[in-house]
Amino acid sequence: MTASEFGQQFVNALSLGSIYALVAVGLAMIFGILRLINFAHGEVLMLGAFAAYFIAETGLPFVVVAVLVVVTTVAIGLLMERVAYRPLRGAPDVALLLTSLAVSIALQNGALLAFGAQPKPFPTPAMLSGQLQLGGGVQISQVNLVTVITALTLMVLLTLFVTRTRLGISMRATAENAMAARLMGINVNTVIVAAFLVGSALAGVAAILWGARVGRIQPDMGFIPVLKAFVATVIGGFGSIPGAVIGAYLLGFGEIFLVALLPDSLGSYRDAFVFAGLIVILLFRPQGILGSTEPEKI
Amino acid sequence: MLRVSDIRVYYGAIQAIKEVSLEVNDRELVALVGANGAGKTTILRTISGLIRPRSGAIDWHGTDLTSLASHQIVARGISQVPEGRQIFAGLTVRDNLMLGAIQRRDRGAFDQVLERVFEFFPVLKERYGQPGGTLSGGEQQMLAIGRGLMSRPRLLLLDEPSLGLAPLMVWRIFEVISRLKAEGVTILLVEQNARKALDVADRAYVLETGRIIVSGAARELAANPDVERAYLGG
């Protein structure tokens, strides 16, 4: 691998990890507070991509389209919480898990009925297409650059939110000890709504970046990102937001460099290698990288 | 005043509390003593709205608490320091204390209450920026009580504040409880250390398997031979 190839793969890995991170943070936040693995999170992303497709047809500028996509995914996330998950408050965790699978399947099939199985082209705007020439023959695609910058900016804002604001600190407190949080006077419903709001907004951003990356959209497109984000949160330690980000970047780098370094005949097995790697990590650190070793309290 | 009337509380099919009634008058310190598993913690959790009673009423200055959510109960001036401290280990002492005052919006009052908590527990000022989990057991208990005071409660529910602490620390915690009482905070104290609790309390209730079996002035209960044999190790 030449230096310029390495540079390109590096940016590519950073970009892939960034998208995983945007999805994984939403999963980790919702899990931390509700103990719910929200498999329907991928469908929020999918519907965001379709929203981009239909809104872009109106000819609005891309920035406006992006804002409306995020508004749409936030609305979907909040509706999901209100309709599917809130009625199950106090139910066993497994009931929530099964509900999220049901929501995921229902939304996917609803999209199949409404939009058809035929993939549609993602309305990639000019700022997310084309290559950028750097010195020394290194070129990076604009979508990768925008993805990395967007994700890093959002991660910084997210960090400020969870460490500096009352709502953010309340969210961390609720994730750590929901009973004590209630005794402090934290309204747990507000915190749950906030988690869905932030998670769905990040999924909306991820929808645009993922759509621009793969170039086409279809009803089952949410599955792969949410699966990878799930792996990232497991690697990082479930429920830990920084853990999810670290796991996402590890996964992004693992995938890209496996493909780059493996002979072509093995490249198509990259997911097999990724999941084998996951098993190895869990053998040695079942709680994930940043997961707590504290046993579940009764 | 707090008036708990005929509450029954169930965990699934198991009845934990069988028609318990008790009262805490304003500025009074009332102790709730009894063996492990008698239902003391369940009563405090029911008052705080963490558990709903199947029947009965909890009246606090004219409001029925049994239909309110926990955060609404905190907003009405009732704060609980739960058993086993339950501090937020990953959050700083600062954030723990801030969360205690989450329903208080005025900054000036916050600083004032914070000064008072520091006066009670100077060590919290030294540990202000540290994660709660790095504190010793005694310091964590001080943080838990300090956090409970940050909302400036009119009624403080203390669940086993001396559990698992060294004798010197137990003595300090009870000193703080006496001072809070002197300042006019109404307190409902749950303790396994019945002798200590009866020392500081005005009145007490003795709970046995979900039922109140004796109640009265703390001094009289401490002298009651049955209570002494069962709970004071006499």
Side-chain angles (χ1 to χ4, degrees), chain B residues 16 28 32 46 77 80 83 108 110 115 121 128 133 140 144-145 147 151 155 163 175 192 195 208 210 234:
Chain B
E28 202 179 21
L32 192 54
T46 309
Q80 181 179 156
E83 184 184 359
F110 178 85
E115 275 314 310
F121 306 115
Y128 201 48
Q140 289 190 10
I145 297 177
R147 189 181 63 172
S151 63
L155 171 63
L163 193 68
E175 192 192 45
Q192 285 195 72
R195 188 178 297 279
E208 199 173 278

Side-chain angles (χ1 to χ4, degrees), chain A residues 177-186, chain B residues 82 85-88 147:
Chain A
N177 187 335
M179 187 193 80
R182 287 170 70 188
L183 289 178
M184 296 303 103
I186 292 170
Chain B
R85 323 192 228 291
Q86 312 276 349
I87 58 146
F88 302 109
R147 189 181 63 172

Side-chain angles (χ1 to χ4, degrees), chain B residues 138-153:
Chain B
E139 290 168 349
Q140 289 190 10
Q141 184 63 62
M142 293 190 237
L143 176 57
I145 297 177
R147 189 181 63 172
L149 294 175
M150 288 302 295
S151 63
R152 287 192 293 169

Side-chain angles (χ1 to χ4, degrees), chain A residues 214-275:
Chain A
V214 300
R216 64 198 143 69
I217 58 178
Q218 60 213 60
D220 62 358
M221 69 180 284
F223 178 70
I224 291 296
V226 87
L227 182 69
K228 295 295 171 64
F230 175 70
V231 172
T233 49
V234 171
I235 294 174
F238 230 108
S240 157
I241 295 173
V245 174
I246 293 172
Y249 281 104
L250 277 180
L251 192 61
F253 274 88
E255 271 188 44
I256 296 294
F257 280 93
L258 271 175
V259 176
L261 296 173
L262 286 174
D264 284 346
S265 59
L266 287 177
S268 54
Y269 293 107
R270 71 171 185 183
D271 284 350
F273 284 101
V274 165
F275 287 107

Side-chain angles (χ1 to χ4, degrees), chain B residues 114-176:
Chain B
L114 192 63
E115 275 314 310
R116 192 165 151 246
V117 168
F118 285 160
E119 190 205 318
F120 279 138
F121 306 115
V123 70
L124 295 182
K125 195 169 189 169
E126 293 162 32
R127 304 268 187 269
Y128 201 48
Q130 271 176 239
T134 62
L135 271 58
S136 74
E139 290 168 349
Q140 289 190 10
Q141 184 63 62
M142 293 190 237
L143 176 57
I145 297 177
R147 189 181 63 172
L149 294 175
M150 288 302 295
S151 63
R152 287 192 293 169
R154 285 195 287 159
L155 171 63
L156 186 63
L157 309 173
L158 287 170
D159 197 352
E160 303 280 10
S162 76
L163 193 68
L165 296 183
L168 186 65
M169 198 59 79
V170 173
W171 182 83
R172 284 204 48 196
I173 298 285
F174 272 94
E175 192 192 45
V176 168

Side-chain angles (χ1 to χ4, degrees), chain B residues 41-162:
Chain B
T41 295
T42 302
I43 291 176
L44 291 197
R45 288 187 177 179
T46 309
I47 296 170
S48 282
L50 294 174
I51 314 170
R52 295 246 171 270
R54 194 167 290 181
S55 64
I58 303 173
D59 180 271
W60 167 246
H61 290 276
T63 313
D64 183 28
L65 299 183
T66 58
S67 58
L68 297 183
S70 292
H71 67 274
Q72 295 168 315
I73 292 170
V74 175
R76 280 164 178 75
I78 300 179
S79 172
Q80 181 179 156
V81 178
E83 184 184 359
R85 323 192 228 291
Q86 312 276 349
I87 58 146
F88 302 109
L91 272 53
T92 59
V93 169
R94 192 195 84 90
D95 287 346
N96 270 276
L97 293 173
M98 186 278 284
L99 287 169
I102 190 88
Q103 298 215 353
R104 297 265 165 185
R105 297 280 152 166
D106 50 322
R107 179 75 215 185
F110 178 85
D111 292 339
Q112 215 180 324
V113 187
L114 192 63
E115 275 314 310
R116 192 165 151 246
V117 168
F118 285 160
E119 190 205 318
F120 279 138
F121 306 115
V123 70
L124 295 182
K125 195 169 189 169
E126 293 162 32
R127 304 268 187 269
Y128 201 48
Q130 271 176 239
T134 62
L135 271 58
S136 74
E139 290 168 349
Q140 289 190 10
Q141 184 63 62
M142 293 190 237
L143 176 57
I145 297 177
R147 189 181 63 172
L149 294 175
M150 288 302 295
S151 63
R152 287 192 293 169
R154 285 195 287 159
L155 171 63
L156 186 63
L157 309 173
L158 287 170
D159 197 352
E160 303 280 10
S162 76

